[in-house]
């Protein structure tokens, strides 16, 4: 394929997804805490509207990860799994371990559902994503990393025939629709809402975005043509579906509960897919025109995951220093200020810790070499 979406670019569609998703998820963190201060109804409505606007983060991140990983490792098989996991261990699992420990030990009050009270419950919270409000997603995302050989196999299989890709898309949509019906009936305000809440971090709940990410890269030329021809339609549809999601949330009345806007609804699924399509359109436009923004997005994408991991930590500090007092009197101002500072600290810390770690490793290796020479 001679698509413009190739391996030589300083950024790809997946990079744009990661940056947009990370940027939006930090807003979700701030909105949830400010809403918890019980602001006036009109402010709650605004928070709900903004929340629905940024309710695409996990799907976009999964699509972006699978798109980029298929681009860079799509020729792999089970024989490459060991080397692949070794790289992912240092890039994803190690930062996860450190930041999860930071939340559990430094800010234990941000735990979800309940608090750990023993070594066993500590370890369970460490694994299940309850250590902080955003780590449920991390638990789900790492499942895709571990299961990557199956997505490699999918990429090899659909590559052989467009018909196979079409069937995969159709069956994925049907299967995911069935999953949404099951979740709506049994979990979302259903009889198992409390007992089965961990289903929201099972990879199946986001598998449609992973499969579509794989196919989007394998058939990148067709994907590019489709997005280029339909982006206006996608934009109009996005506005309509966004209105739909806000109508659904407002129907629950006050106080506004963000749990009434889960990912696992037809409206939210369609909304997330439309956002993915439009972010892809922006990325492709930049790729076609060799935009100066490409290196910027690639740079931010490199540190997006680590910035995402740290965002609640930095926000908690900002909230305690002055954000809470600001929210009591000016909630909307507090949202903007806390969000901007959190974003800056998240990416700055990700880059800074990376540089420090590289220098530590370099110094360690230099000492080893020097010792061997002596």
């Amino acid at each position: 394929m001679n698509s413009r979406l190739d391996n030589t670019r300083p950024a790809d569609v997946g990079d744009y997804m990661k940056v947009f998703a990370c940027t939006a998820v930090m807003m979700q963190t701030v909105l949830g805490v400010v809403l918890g201060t019980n602001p006036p109804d009109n402010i709650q409505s605004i928070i709900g509207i903004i929340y629905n606007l940024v309710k695409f983060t996990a799907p976009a991140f999964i699509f972006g990860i699978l798109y980029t990983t298929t681009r860079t490792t799509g020729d792999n098989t089970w024989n490459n799994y060991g080397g692949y996991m070794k790289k992912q261990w240092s890039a994803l699992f190690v930062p996860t371990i450190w930041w999860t420990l930071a939340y559990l030990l430094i800010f234990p009050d941000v735990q979800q559902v309940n608090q750990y009270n023993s070594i066993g419950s500590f370890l369970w919270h460490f694994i299940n994503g309850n250590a902080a409000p955003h780590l449920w997603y991390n638990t789900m995302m790492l499942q895709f990393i571990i299961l990557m050989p199956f997505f490699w196999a999918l990429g090899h299989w659909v590559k052989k025939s467009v018909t196979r890709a079409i069937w995969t898309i159709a069956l994925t949509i049907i299967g995911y629709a069935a999953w949404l019906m099951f979740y709506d009936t049994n979990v979302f305000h259903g009889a198992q809402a409390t007992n089965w809440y961990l289903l929201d971090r099972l990879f199946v709940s986001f598998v449609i975005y992973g499969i579509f990410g794989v196919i989007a890269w394998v058939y990148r030329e067709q994907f590019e043509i489709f997005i280029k021809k339909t982006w206006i339609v996608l934009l109009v549809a996005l506005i309509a579906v966004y209105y739909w999601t806000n109508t659904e949330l407002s129907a629950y009345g006050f106080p506004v509960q963000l749990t009434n806007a889960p990912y696992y609804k037809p409206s939210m699924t369609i909304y997330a897919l439309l956002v993915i399509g439009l972010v892809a359109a922006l990325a492709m436009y930049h790729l076609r025109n060799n935009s100066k923004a490409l290196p910027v997005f690639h740079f931010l994408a490199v540190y997006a995951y680590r910035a995402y991991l740290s965002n609640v930590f930095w926000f908690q500090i900002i909230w305690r220093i002055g954000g809470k007092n600001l929210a009591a009197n000016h909630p909307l101002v507090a949202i903007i200020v806390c969000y901007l500072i959190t974003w800056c600290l998240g990416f700055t810390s990700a880059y800074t810790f990376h540089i420090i770690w590289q220098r530590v490793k370099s110094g360690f290796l230099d000492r080893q070499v020097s010792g061997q020479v002596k």
Side-chain angles (χ1 to χ4, degrees), residues 25 28-30 32-33 51 103 107-113 128-138 200-201 308-309 311-313 315-316:
V25 78
Q28 291 183 10
T29 298
V30 177
V33 174
Y51 187 79
Y103 289 116
F107 291 125
D109 56 318
V110 302
Q111 291 173 82
Q112 303 297 291
V113 183
N128 68 15
N130 282 343
H134 63 317
L135 292 183
W136 69 270
Y137 160 76
N138 196 65
D200 69 359
R201 61 208 66 185
Y308 146 78
L309 283 174
N311 86 92
V312 172
F313 184 90
F315 173 67
Q316 285 298 314

Side-chain angles (χ1 to χ4, degrees), residues 78-101:
W78 275 104
N79 295 329
N80 308 104
Y81 190 54
Y84 163 80
M85 284 303 297
K86 184 178 180 180
K87 292 180 180 179
Q88 299 306 318
W89 173 257
S90 59
L92 302 177
F93 287 86
V94 172
T96 294
I97 292 171
W98 284 114
W99 280 112
T100 303
L101 281 174

Side-chain angles (χ1 to χ4, degrees), residues 69-336:
T69 305
T70 304
R71 177 177 71 86
T72 56
T73 67
D75 293 332
N76 286 3
T77 63
W78 275 104
N79 295 329
N80 308 104
Y81 190 54
Y84 163 80
M85 284 303 297
K86 184 178 180 180
K87 292 180 180 179
Q88 299 306 318
W89 173 257
S90 59
L92 302 177
F93 287 86
V94 172
T96 294
I97 292 171
W98 284 114
W99 280 112
T100 303
L101 281 174
Y103 289 116
L104 288 173
L105 299 178
I106 300 175
F107 291 125
D109 56 318
V110 302
Q111 291 173 82
Q112 303 297 291
V113 183
N114 51 47
Q115 302 278 310
Y116 70 83
N117 52 28
S118 65
I119 294 177
S121 59
F122 179 91
L123 294 175
W124 177 232
H125 278 240
F126 194 95
I127 296 171
N128 68 15
N130 282 343
H134 63 317
L135 292 183
W136 69 270
Y137 160 76
N138 196 65
T139 296
M140 177 271 298
M141 185 274 294
L142 291 177
Q143 294 171 52
F144 282 90
I145 300 301
I146 295 171
L147 296 172
M148 196 62 208
F150 295 99
F151 293 100
W152 290 335
L154 173 65
H156 297 323
W157 189 75
V158 299
K159 187 185 298 183
K160 296 178 181 179
S161 167
V162 175
T163 302
R164 289 185 177 185
I166 294 172
W167 270 108
T168 300
I169 292 171
L171 292 175
T172 299
I173 292 173
I174 294 171
Y176 196 72
W179 177 257
L180 292 180
M181 291 178 61
F182 168 81
Y183 191 94
D184 183 68
T185 302
N186 296 281
V187 184
F188 181 55
H189 292 309
Q192 304 299 330
T194 301
N195 299 327
W196 292 358
Y197 76 93
L198 288 175
L199 286 178
D200 69 359
R201 61 208 66 185
L202 189 65
F203 80 96
V204 173
S205 295
F206 292 86
V207 72
I208 187 173
Y209 311 106
I211 292 174
F212 283 6
V214 172
I215 296 175
W217 171 254
V218 172
Y219 288 96
R220 53 198 176 276
E221 286 186 335
Q222 293 88 336
F223 182 54
E224 182 179 8
I225 292 171
F226 172 78
I227 294 297
K228 187 177 180 180
K229 290 184 176 181
T230 63
W231 72 268
I232 294 180
V233 176
L234 297 179
L235 179 60
V236 173
L238 180 75
I239 295 171
V241 176
Y242 179 54
Y243 177 80
W244 178 15
T245 62
N246 282 300
T247 300
E248 288 182 327
L249 182 58
S250 64
Y252 290 99
F254 296 97
V256 172
Q257 300 287 337
L258 299 183
T259 53
N260 287 325
Y263 285 110
Y264 323 108
K265 297 193 301 181
S267 58
M268 284 297 184
T269 301
I270 297 170
Y271 180 75
L273 290 171
L274 291 170
V275 171
I276 288 170
L278 289 170
V279 172
L282 176 64
M284 292 170 183
Y285 175 79
H286 284 179
L287 286 163
R288 286 194 299 270
N289 294 280
N290 198 24
S291 170
K292 294 180 180 180
L294 289 172
V296 176
F297 273 92
H298 180 66
F299 174 83
L300 292 175
V302 169
Y303 300 101
Y305 178 68
R306 281 164 280 189
Y308 146 78
L309 283 174
S310 69
N311 86 92
V312 172
F313 184 90
W314 299 120
F315 173 67
Q316 285 298 314
I317 294 175
I318 296 164
W319 186 251
R320 285 165 166 79
I321 290 176
K324 185 175 182 179
N325 291 333
L326 182 61
N329 300 305
H330 306 285
L332 294 182
V333 175
I335 289 172
I336 296 171

